[in-house]
Amino acid sequence: MSTTVERLRASLASVYGSATAGEILERLLPRIEQVRAKRVTSPHTDASSMSQQTRSMRALPDQREVILITYGDQIQEKGKPPLRTLREVLESTVSDVCSGVHILPFYPYTSDDGFSVIDYRQVDPALGDWEEIRRLGRRFRLMFDAVINHISASSPWFQAFLRGEAPYTEYFITVDPSVDLSSVVRPRTSPLLTRFATVDGVKYVWTTFSADQVDLNYRSPALLYEILDLLLFYVEQGAQLIRLDAVGFLWKEIGTSCIHLPQTHALIQAMRAMLDLAAPDVLLITETNVPHLENISYFGDGYNEAQMVYNFTLPPLTLYTFHKQDATLLSEWAASLSTPSEQTTFFNFMASHDGIGVRPLEGILRREEIDALVERTLRHGGLVSYRAASDGSQVPYELNIVYFDALNNPNADEPLALQVDRFLASQAILLSLAGVPGIYVHSLFGSRNWREGVTLTGQNRTINRRKFRRSELETLFNDPTSLSHQVFTRYRRLVAARTREPAFHPNAPQQIVHIDPAIFAFVRTRLDSSRRVLCLHNVANHEIQIRIDVSALGLRPGEHLVDLVSGRELSLHGAQLEMSLPPYGVYWVGDEIGMA
């Protein structure tokens, strides 16, 4: 423990100096011990998992870890708190295939569908209460959002700032509007500074994302302590994964880009050390919608920052792959993927509550290729959000469209079955790549664009945030002809195949195989090297004949192999696998010897 305490002290000292770091620790260490002791003695916690050895060597989740991403009020019914309805529906539909649930911000809020938080420590009463959260946590591992870059302008903290009350006068960042801020990286086109009337006169306050999302000032040690204590509070409420939202923007330094600064990394290192002391089974996940090399910097040295990093390049590059019907770039990029230790892995996703970010494609695609994805999105009924570049121009930031329609033109004259095949081929890539998969609830349902919602809210992102009545959703699930039924049934089958196979462990080795430009192929190998699985994904709208020497890939065939998805036997000619992949066909091929 002493070594981890020193890590925590060093991280704090690098930002605030030794004296202030000592003051923070004096307050923080008793709080850490309180949380640690409570978890050791809890009847829901295995005390052996809290040993010092486990603290330093904790393994990541295995192949059974599949996280569903959803809003707390995603599924509603009259007379029940939405969180209770959500729990009942998830328990009856996905508890056998999804191990965890990421409940998008469920706190009281004023805008951005939850990401402008009024009170970090309360459950929005329109959704339910902490007991409903804990009940959900008895069946699923829970991911909480820590929306700690900014807070609502209506929050008690900011209102106290406007009134000139300490310590809140230090919790926010004011800047003279004449100061040159052109070097600041912007994720939006809205003004960086917002004018507010305070008891001490007009002040211009830093607002990275919107006028209602006021950035917090981590130069204040008091603010930092509030946030560290908040993370411990989330642990006490059952969080087993904590998502650090927009964390790259935490520290501001005039004259810099104000993103990914050394102080930001030091603060994340302090959070990691604190959790290693108090709750070593709780994982940090960083959310930074930026180019790949910047994104993976949040792994730190593999032991001191996030255990998982959102794999932001995967969604837009997969979309481009299906757009071009060519997996060459996806294969090249996937071959470069690695993580710095056995304690780290990617949080893979194809869709989320936000749009499909295009910044992660910088350095991979040319500008005209990104523009082609923008044009495709508009043709498919989607929208595009922009950010302000340093030269004052506006450039695409994200594609606002549900992933099903990003792949499938709603106006195209093609069979629905082919559209479902195309979509599920993309999801099979998500489920089989090294990492932990996160499935956005609308992907599980096969949702289409909700343009009516955009009209209602005036927000582009609403296109991907439709909520459901429970009766409506159950009707769709029970109708074999509905798109939702077809997608959901086949999606479950894919997830079940993944979770049965140890070769899909998040840290199991992955080797890209080049077979045909239209085939995204790789081999996953169990950690003990006892079995290999060949994953084949046809990204093209035509049939492809393949011939592979499977013994050269390390598979140990007898007379045949098995497709793990369908259970069908695949015939061999000696060591040669000859087969036809239909349009958007998916095969996860394993030898019978190693069947789980």
Side-chain angles (χ1 to χ4, degrees):
M1 178 180 290
S2 60
T3 302
T4 309
V5 171
E6 290 311 308
R7 275 175 44 212
L8 176 54
R9 185 188 302 276
S11 298
L12 295 172
S14 71
V15 178
Y16 301 101
S18 297
T20 301
E23 293 170 3
I24 295 171
L25 276 178
E26 188 176 355
R27 292 184 67 194
L28 188 60
L29 288 176
R31 181 76 173 100
I32 290 172
E33 178 57 27
Q34 179 186 44
V35 174
R36 190 199 69 81
K38 187 183 299 183
R39 287 169 61 78
V40 168
T41 58
S42 168
H44 302 294
T45 303
D46 178 4
S48 66
S49 70
M50 305 298 288
S51 68
Q52 182 61 39
Q53 180 181 8
T54 301
R55 281 193 175 89
S56 60
M57 298 297 291
R58 185 189 182 280
L60 283 164
D62 62 19
Q63 74 280 357
R64 293 168 293 183
E65 191 74 41
V66 176
I67 307 295
L68 182 69
I69 305 167
T70 180
Y71 283 99
D73 62 348
Q74 186 64 58
I75 306 169
Q76 305 168 12
E77 63 179 321
K78 189 175 181 180
K80 277 188 182 179
L83 283 168
R84 185 178 305 169
T85 298
L86 178 68
R87 173 177 56 82
E88 291 175 355
V89 172
L90 296 186
E91 286 179 348
S92 65
T93 57
V94 300
S95 63
D96 58 333
V97 290
C98 290
S99 60
V101 179
H102 171 200
I103 317 171
L104 291 158
F106 49 81
Y107 324 111
Y109 72 98
T110 50
S111 63
D112 199 16
D113 284 343
F115 284 89
S116 183
V117 179
I118 296 173
D119 188 334
Y120 291 125
R121 294 174 180 265
Q122 299 297 322
V123 175
D124 185 344
L127 301 181
D129 55 25
W130 280 115
E131 180 55 32
E132 294 294 351
I133 297 290
R134 286 188 286 269
R135 286 176 182 170
L136 189 60
R138 293 181 190 125
R139 193 68 174 266
F140 300 94
R141 283 164 55 91
L142 296 182
M143 185 192 299
F144 286 12
D145 275 288
V147 190
I148 55 175
N149 177 71
H150 49 264
I151 197 168
S152 169
S154 297
S155 66
W157 288 7
F158 190 67
Q159 291 302 303
F161 163 84
L162 296 179
R163 295 191 299 268
E165 299 173 7
Y168 304 103
T169 49
E170 300 177 354
Y171 279 23
F172 302 94
I173 306 164
T174 59
V175 181
D176 185 326
S178 65
V179 170
D180 180 9
L181 299 174
S182 60
S183 59
V184 176
V185 168
R186 298 304 324 284
R188 300 287 185 272
T189 56
S190 57
L192 180 60
L193 303 180
T194 300
R195 184 180 186 272
F196 288 97
T198 79
V199 69
D200 298 317
V202 169
K203 293 187 178 181
Y204 289 83
V205 183
W206 201 293
T207 53
T208 297
F209 290 94
S210 78
D212 188 44
Q213 294 168 293
V214 189
D215 288 58
L216 296 170
N217 180 21
Y218 282 86
R219 291 181 184 274
S220 165
L223 181 277
L224 175 73
Y225 180 83
E226 287 266 19
I227 296 302
L228 294 177
D229 186 64
L230 173 70
L231 299 183
L232 294 175
F233 172 77
Y234 286 164
V235 170
E236 291 176 315
Q237 303 309 313
Q240 292 183 280
L241 306 102
I242 296 178
R243 175 185 182 270
L244 300 178
D245 177 68
V247 72
F249 296 96
L250 281 194
W251 192 270
K252 280 75 173 178
E253 194 78 44
I254 304 297
T256 74
S257 64
C258 295
I259 188 171
H260 315 317
L261 296 185
Q263 295 91 336
T264 292
H265 285 282
L267 292 174
I268 296 171
Q269 289 163 20
M271 295 172 192
R272 170 68 183 271
M274 179 188 73
L275 291 176
D276 282 350
L277 288 167
D281 57 317
V282 174
L283 306 181
L284 284 178
I285 304 178
T286 51
E287 188 265 346
T288 50
N289 186 2
V290 293
H292 184 70
L293 291 180
E294 298 174 32
N295 189 30
I296 61 176
S297 69
Y298 290 90
F299 283 130
D301 66 9
Y303 301 94
N304 67 345
E305 292 191 38
Q307 288 98 335
M308 285 196 274
V309 165
Y310 268 71
N311 199 350
F312 270 102
T313 304
L314 181 60
L317 189 55
T318 300
L319 176 61
Y320 176 80
T321 296
F322 280 85
H323 168 67
K324 296 294 289 185
Q325 302 189 55
D326 187 326
T328 302
L329 284 179
L330 182 61
S331 296
E332 291 175 358
W333 170 78
S336 74
L337 293 178
S338 65
T339 63
S341 79
E342 76 286 352
Q343 292 187 19
T344 54
T345 194
F346 287 102
F347 185 71
N348 293 327
F349 71 108
M350 283 296 178
S352 75
H353 59 288
D354 291 338
I356 303 168
V358 296
R359 280 213 70 201
L361 294 176
E362 294 175 13
I364 299 176
L365 297 187
R366 300 186 305 275
R367 177 61 186 270
E368 56 267 28
E369 292 172 317
I370 295 175
D371 288 343
L373 290 182
V374 169
E375 294 169 6
R376 177 190 178 97
T377 297
L378 297 174
R379 287 197 311 272
H380 288 208
L383 302 161
V384 179
S385 294
Y386 294 83
R387 67 181 183 92
S390 57
D391 61 2
S393 64
Q394 294 188 10
V395 294
Y397 179 71
E398 68 181 17
L399 312 176
N400 300 114
I401 189 168
V402 298
Y403 211 79
F404 191 97
D405 282 350
L407 290 167
N408 299 296
N409 189 340
N411 302 312
D413 183 20
E414 63 179 4
L416 182 62
L418 183 66
Q419 296 186 25
V420 172
D421 288 343
R422 183 184 291 123
F423 175 70
L424 287 168
S426 75
Q427 304 307 292
I429 291 171
L430 162 67
L431 293 170
S432 52
L433 276 176
V436 171
I439 304 171
Y440 186 42
V441 65
H442 281 291
S443 294
L444 201 61
F445 299 160
S447 294
R448 311 304 295 253
N449 290 330
W450 191 39
R451 290 298 294 258
E452 298 89 342
V454 177
T455 301
L456 290 171
T457 67
Q459 302 296 318
N460 284 2
R461 286 176 166 178
T462 308
I463 199 169
N464 192 30
R465 298 179 176 181
R466 183 185 176 191
K467 309 297 172 62
F468 291 95
R469 292 289 179 189
R470 181 174 184 171
S471 57
E472 171 191 11
L473 197 59
E474 289 176 342
T475 298
L476 290 172
F477 280 172
N478 293 326
D479 178 4
T481 66
S482 74
L483 173 61
S484 292
H485 176 92
Q486 294 176 49
V487 169
F488 181 70
T489 301
R490 290 180 55 187
Y491 214 131
R492 280 179 50 87
R493 193 178 306 143
L494 281 171
V495 176
R498 172 202 164 81
T499 57
R500 288 192 301 264
E501 175 48 62
F504 291 132
H505 186 286
N507 292 124
Q510 175 173 286
Q511 175 191 355
I512 301 301
V513 179
H514 299 283
I515 297 173
D516 182 283
I519 303 293
F520 183 47
F522 49 89
V523 172
R524 299 294 308 278
T525 304
R526 287 184 180 180
L527 292 173
D528 64 2
S529 301
S530 65
R531 172 174 166 81
R532 289 176 172 82
V533 174
L534 171 64
C535 302
L536 302 170
H537 310 89
N538 184 357
V539 302
N541 191 17
H542 56 267
E543 184 176 310
I544 298 177
Q545 299 289 332
I546 63 171
R547 180 184 176 93
I548 313 168
D549 183 345
V550 292
S551 62
L553 299 178
L555 277 76
R556 300 172 297 172
E559 295 180 356
H560 51 255
L561 298 173
V562 176
D563 173 29
L564 305 185
V565 179
S566 66
R568 185 162 61 91
E569 293 182 357
L570 304 174
S571 298
L572 290 167
H573 301 278
Q576 300 293 316
L577 174 64
E578 298 180 10
M579 61 184 298
S580 172
L581 265 68
Y584 309 113
V586 172
Y587 289 88
W588 294 342
V589 181
D591 56 83
E592 282 195 309
I593 298 172
M595 286 291 285

